[in-house]
Amino acid sequence: MIIFGTKGYLYQLAILTLVCGQCGNPAAHTLSKRVTKFTLFFVPLFPVSTKYATQCTFCGAQQKITKEQAEQLQVQGAGGQPHDRQPQQQPYQG
């Protein structure tokens, strides 16, 4: 018997102040990365998909973005300098 499946991980990359496209308020937005990994016997082996998104903390609106946009926002949020600290990892049920 072989046990396999997927497991999701949510990384919070940055918190940015942006104007929300949904509600129009200048509010904090979280920049996050969601990675789904293939698991074999409950051991995550390799990523299957990676998705990036921003979420408004005022109204909760979420917008999917590309990897390039996420990297640009992350550098912008760090004051123009890329930082070397590890993103926070939070498993999610998906």
Side-chain angles (χ1 to χ4, degrees):
M1 182 167 83
I2 298 176
I3 300 172
F4 64 94
T6 59
K7 182 172 182 177
Y9 296 90
L10 184 63
Y11 299 93
Q12 183 176 333
L13 302 176
I15 297 178
L16 310 162
T17 302
L18 303 169
V19 176
C20 180
Q22 183 74 23
C23 64
N25 288 316
H29 285 67
T30 58
L31 175 62
S32 59
K33 173 174 135 177
R34 181 168 291 185
V35 180
T36 303
K37 293 186 178 184
F38 176 80
T39 61
L40 183 63
F41 294 106
F42 307 103
V43 177
L45 296 178
F46 56 88
V48 176
S49 72
T50 303
K51 297 178 183 177
Y52 296 88
T54 60
Q55 184 173 15
C56 177
T57 58
F58 188 80
C59 69
Q62 190 169 7
Q63 179 180 3
K64 294 180 182 178
I65 59 174
T66 64
K67 179 180 180 180
E68 291 77 22
Q69 290 172 325
E71 290 172 350
Q72 183 180 13
L73 285 172
Q74 193 173 8
V75 169
Q76 176 185 342
Q81 300 175 3
H83 50 80
D84 295 328
R85 63 186 171 107
Q86 294 292 324
Q88 295 178 354
Q89 179 179 345
Q90 300 170 350
Y92 73 95
Q93 302 298 322

